[in-house]
Amino acid sequence: MTDLLDLTYDELKRLVSDMGESSYRADQIFAWLSKGIESFDDMRNVGRSLREKLSENYFVYAPEIAFKARSKIDGTVKYLFRLRDGNCIETVVMRYEHGLSVCVSTQVGCRMGCAFCASTIGGRVRNMTAGEILSQVIFASKDMGERISNIVLMGIGEPLDNFENVTAFLKNVTHPKGVNIGWRHISLSTCGIVPRIRELADMKTQLNLCISLHAATDEDRSRIMPINKSYGINELISAARYYIEKTGRRISFEYSLIKGVNDSKSHAAQLARLLSGMKCHVNLIPVNKVKETGLEKSVRVNEFKKYLEEHKINATVRRELGSDISASCGQLRKRISEEKQEEVF
Ligand code: SAH
């Protein structure tokens, strides 16, 4: 059995036509799926016989909201969605001036091993399917009763370690007959899987690419991000330049400031030198404390930003949202699974 939401629009069209139905049926089904349905019977304008035929090999699934918290400080909502096999993932909805932005997960867990990150602590359980990734956007929007205007792929998981499903998701979520969110309103963040960055560039979309850099020398970066041992900084920067060249887009570099690790003036100088002249932007993130990592938030965030700006590097400090509800990646899933274990044992 396959999740109907895993099919791309073109695959759905082919399926419906193979069933001898006219092609507008596929449009109707695609539109229903994009609205968020719980069963085939919800597709009221689709005939019973087609619904029955579909249900022989396909299912529709609405992920269960296993937990939901709303920040009293800024209204950020965090969902813990339970997938069909019982695994849970996190989705966060943030409110900005220009509308709602949803942060989606792409894998159950993560195998990238970054030293500061909560999502990677238990390793990778499995990839999420295209439909599971999409269902976060659809069902968060349905639950909020509002349209989502931006998507960030910055939840649990490394999107480019699940390339096929993530690109299928992107095709569906941007489709005019579906959720219909423009590429320019979607940001994908990667720890730096270089060959996949190049593949994304070759797709020539208007997707915003964010690269988690966090250090400007191989020595420093390899210490906190194991991926750097496979793809070093030179390769990464050249892939970033390739992305800019192919798409015309500006790249965002994320830099989480960790006390005593990557936040000194010389670190800022190295970063400014590395990015000099590039069409990019630096997003500084005061590192979120994760108990297990022992890493602390930098107290030099403003100085760091000022140094970059003085050296003509565009920089902003990321707003911290939902700090009262463990809104940052991986924190909630971990907390809940720990609490569960306590209950069980
Ligand atoms: N795997 C992707 C997507 C995760 S996005 C990636 O690495 O980019 C989440 C962003 O938050 C990444 O830039 C990640 O490096 C950063 N991050 C992870 N844990 C963090 C923490 N404890 N404090 C601050 N930033 C963190």
Side-chain angles (χ1 to χ4, degrees), residues 116-117 154-155 157-158 189-191 212 214 254 256 287-288 290 329:
F116 41 81
C117 182
M154 294 192 183
E158 166 50 46
S189 177
T190 177
C191 64
S212 299
H214 306 317
E254 290 150 291
S256 296
V287 83
N288 284 300
V290 175
C329 3

Side-chain angles (χ1 to χ4, degrees), residues 302 304-316:
N302 290 331
F304 204 91
K305 175 172 184 268
K306 198 157 157 257
Y307 184 95
L308 293 178
E309 283 170 343
E310 281 166 5
H311 291 78
K312 300 200 169 53
I313 307 283
N314 215 308
T316 47

Side-chain angles (χ1 to χ4, degrees), residues 75-331:
T76 297
V77 178
K78 176 147 202 169
Y79 295 95
L80 191 73
F81 281 122
R82 185 169 291 122
L83 307 176
R84 198 158 168 263
D85 66 354
N87 277 306
C88 289
I89 50 88
E90 294 172 35
T91 308
V92 182
V93 181
M94 295 155 286
R95 191 176 294 280
Y96 290 95
E97 281 150 39
H98 50 263
L100 292 185
S101 180
V102 60
C103 175
V104 299
S105 295
T106 55
Q107 296 179 311
V108 180
C110 183
R111 58 172 175 173
M112 294 297 130
C114 299
F116 41 81
C117 182
S119 300
T120 199
I121 291 173
R124 182 186 68 173
V125 178
R126 67 169 175 87
N127 281 332
M128 288 172 69
T129 67
E132 286 172 336
I133 303 170
L134 182 56
S135 71
Q136 300 170 81
V137 179
I138 294 171
F139 288 95
S141 168
K142 193 175 180 188
D143 185 68
M144 299 283 295
E146 277 181 68
R147 200 192 124 74
I148 300 285
S149 43
N150 286 271
I151 301 176
V152 296
L153 284 78
M154 294 192 183
I156 299 170
E158 166 50 46
L160 300 189
D161 188 36
N162 183 15
F163 193 77
E164 222 175 284
N165 294 345
V166 164
T167 46
F169 154 74
L170 290 171
K171 276 184 197 143
N172 268 358
V173 83
T174 52
H175 200 286
K177 295 204 160 123
V179 181
N180 192 16
I181 294 182
W183 288 94
R184 285 172 177 265
H185 297 279
I186 306 179
S187 302
L188 181 151
S189 177
T190 177
C191 64
I193 304 185
V194 164
R196 300 295 186 215
I197 294 176
R198 289 182 172 271
E199 252 181 88
L200 265 191
D202 290 332
M203 285 165 55
K204 292 196 179 143
T205 69
Q206 292 295 294
L207 176 72
N208 299 306
L209 181 66
C210 307
I211 295 180
S212 299
L213 193 59
H214 306 317
T217 65
D218 280 325
E219 197 192 342
D220 287 343
R221 195 165 187 267
S222 294
R223 215 175 288 142
I224 51 175
M225 299 183 73
I227 189 73
N228 198 69
K229 294 173 192 152
S230 308
Y231 307 108
I233 289 191
N234 284 342
E235 276 177 88
L236 182 56
I237 295 298
S238 101
R241 289 190 195 282
Y242 183 73
Y243 191 88
I244 297 168
E245 183 191 309
K246 287 281 164 179
T247 65
R249 301 295 281 165
R250 183 181 77 162
I251 292 218
S252 285
F253 288 100
E254 290 150 291
Y255 195 103
S256 296
L257 285 159
I258 313 169
K259 192 176 185 176
V261 173
N262 62 0
D263 65 341
S264 71
K265 188 171 174 187
S266 71
H267 289 120
Q270 285 161 344
L271 182 62
R273 223 172 301 132
L274 182 70
L275 302 183
S276 157
M278 201 167 166
K279 189 174 173 182
C280 72
H281 169 265
V282 175
N283 204 210
L284 297 169
I285 315 171
V287 83
N288 284 300
K289 197 174 162 116
V290 175
K291 193 174 71 210
E292 289 79 356
T293 66
L295 300 171
E296 303 269 352
K297 204 169 274 191
S298 169
V299 290
R300 301 197 64 255
V301 176
N302 290 331
E303 283 124 290
F304 204 91
K305 175 172 184 268
K306 198 157 157 257
Y307 184 95
L308 293 178
E309 283 170 343
E310 281 166 5
H311 291 78
K312 300 200 169 53
I313 307 283
N314 215 308
T316 47
V317 177
R318 180 176 294 173
R319 259 205 311 154
E320 290 177 80
L321 293 174
S323 53
D324 54 335
I325 54 165
S326 305
S328 310
C329 3
Q331 295 181 359

